[in-house]
Structure formats: C-alpha cells, structure tokens
Amino acid sequence: MIKLGHIIVQSNWDSGTHVSFVCGIASPNNPYTLRSLDRVLGNAEIEAIEKIIAQKVYDLMEARMK
C-alpha cells in the first residue's frame, strides 16, 4: 500500500491472473477506510488517471522486453 497525502493506492493480486489497483481517499477518522475518488473528481479526471496508469504499465512492459 502506498499513501501519498490523503490518497491511498493498494494492489490486489489474484492467483497470478491479474493485479488490480484500488485508489481512494483516506477517511479523516480512519486512514485505512477509503472513500471513493468520485466524491471529488469527475468522470473525465478519473478516465485521465486510467490512461496514465495504462501508459505507465505499457512503458514498463516495453522496457522489460528490450
């Protein structure tokens, strides 16, 4: 788990088939309780985050293939 300010990102591994990432806002009362990003970000901003993640994964895989 990575915490940057009030933002938490955590990876979840599923038996070697895929890795999913959960990203949310830490609750002020309990830093391990996540609130959804859509409370503060719009659809376009969330889609922009998805594109950033996809590009980074692509770049890392390309670098590994070289």
Side-chain angles (χ1 to χ4, degrees), residues 38 41-50:
D38 66 359
L41 299 177
N43 288 344
E45 292 161 318
I46 292 172
E47 287 176 12
I49 292 169
E50 289 175 332

Side-chain angles (χ1 to χ4, degrees), residues 19-40:
V19 176
S20 60
F21 296 94
V22 176
C23 183
I25 303 164
S27 170
N29 300 329
N30 182 348
Y32 297 100
T33 300
L34 293 182
R35 295 184 302 155
S36 179
L37 287 179
D38 66 359
R39 291 184 178 208
V40 294

Side-chain angles (χ1 to χ4, degrees), residues 1-29:
M1 176 176 72
I2 296 173
K3 186 173 182 199
L4 183 60
H6 292 291
I7 303 299
I8 293 176
V9 178
Q10 182 172 347
S11 59
N12 297 313
W13 302 71
D14 182 25
S15 302
T17 59
H18 69 279
V19 176
S20 60
F21 296 94
V22 176
C23 183
I25 303 164
S27 170
N29 300 329

